[in-house]
Amino acid sequence: MEERYSFTTDGLHNLAVYGVSPMHAWSALTALRRVIRHLGDELDETDVKVVFAQTDGGYLVVFLAESDRDDNDWDIIAARHMWPDEVAMFEKVAAGG
């Protein structure tokens, strides 16, 4: 099943606070170089996912929350540029290390 993404009003505000355009956040979600991490466990009420990616906009982190646990619709709730330690982790993991 294909995943679908949508911007929430709060998510768009958060992107603006961190100086990330919606276009760059979207490109991170479809980037060839990306690392995806799920947060939480099956007991949590919401499923949260973090996508680390390298795009033309730089190294970005996009935070997603599943809008309904029974589908693959994800709300984009925040995005920001990676911190230096996150860039180092991303490069290591994306390279297979």
Side-chain angles (χ1 to χ4, degrees):
M1 181 182 295
E2 186 174 329
E3 295 183 325
R4 295 177 298 263
Y5 304 104
S6 60
F7 290 97
T8 64
T9 302
D10 288 341
L12 287 170
H13 173 76
N14 198 304
L15 266 66
V17 167
Y18 286 103
V20 176
S21 73
M23 180 185 70
H24 286 135
W26 197 264
S27 67
L29 296 172
T30 58
L32 294 177
R33 290 194 73 211
R34 65 183 175 184
V35 174
I36 301 170
R37 295 286 186 249
H38 285 268
L39 305 176
D41 57 32
E42 294 178 9
L43 299 176
D44 290 337
E45 299 249 345
T46 58
D47 191 9
V48 177
K49 181 165 60 171
V50 181
V51 177
F52 298 85
Q54 182 180 13
T55 72
D56 292 341
Y59 291 94
L60 298 176
V61 181
V62 181
F63 300 91
L64 306 161
E66 191 168 26
S67 59
D68 183 346
R69 290 188 64 81
D70 296 332
D71 61 21
N72 275 347
D73 291 340
W74 293 89
D75 291 334
I76 300 166
I77 56 174
R80 63 169 170 75
H81 294 275
M82 281 188 219
W83 297 322
D85 60 327
E86 292 170 328
V87 172
M89 178 278 307
F90 172 80
E91 288 297 337
K92 181 178 179 181
V93 173

